[in-house]
Amino acid sequence: MIHPYPRRCRLDELRPSVHWAEHHFNPGGSLIERRIRDFELLYVASGGLTVQIDDGEASRVMPGTLLLLPSFSLQRIRGEGYPTTSLLGIHFDFFDEVAID
């Protein structure tokens, strides 16, 4: 996948900004299908997930895994833990461009 808004920059131009950080739960068997503007760090604390990005191959994700999910990609995330999967999600961008109202 080619990012819809590619941008070259120097390292000193990066200004990471966190927009959302939350501990949340994904019930076993539930599917989240989304496309978000932010990048996301997603830590699987317990349970498990199956994750598919765009048209790529689905991957099983086990507890203790930290994922970096790309922005603007179609993400299909299915909870595989019983009864729930515990997650820590942090949404961010690299240039402090998104204003949260």
Side-chain angles (χ1 to χ4, degrees):
M1 176 198 150
I2 297 172
H3 196 280
Y5 306 105
R7 181 172 178 178
R8 291 187 180 270
C9 71
R10 296 183 323 268
L11 188 58
D12 65 341
E13 294 176 305
L14 293 177
R15 307 247 184 299
S17 174
V18 172
H19 305 147
W20 179 90
E22 188 172 305
H23 183 217
H24 55 106
F25 301 91
N26 186 321
S30 68
L31 175 67
I32 297 170
E33 190 168 286
R34 66 189 184 168
R35 186 181 306 269
I36 59 174
R37 184 178 173 141
D38 292 337
F39 289 85
E40 182 177 13
L41 286 173
L42 186 62
Y43 177 73
V44 181
S46 66
L49 298 173
T50 298
V51 177
Q52 182 181 9
I53 305 296
D54 291 323
D55 292 326
E57 188 174 320
S59 298
R60 176 87 174 155
V61 181
M62 305 306 289
T65 302
L66 179 64
L67 299 170
L68 173 60
L69 300 174
S71 64
F72 293 100
S73 60
L74 179 60
Q75 302 168 4
R76 292 176 193 90
I77 302 169
R78 181 178 303 280
E80 301 291 349
Y82 179 82
T84 62
T85 296
S86 175
L87 305 164
L88 175 62
I90 301 171
H91 292 212
F92 67 97
D93 77 68
F94 287 104
F95 300 101
D96 195 21
E97 295 174 325
V98 177
I100 304 299
D101 298 327

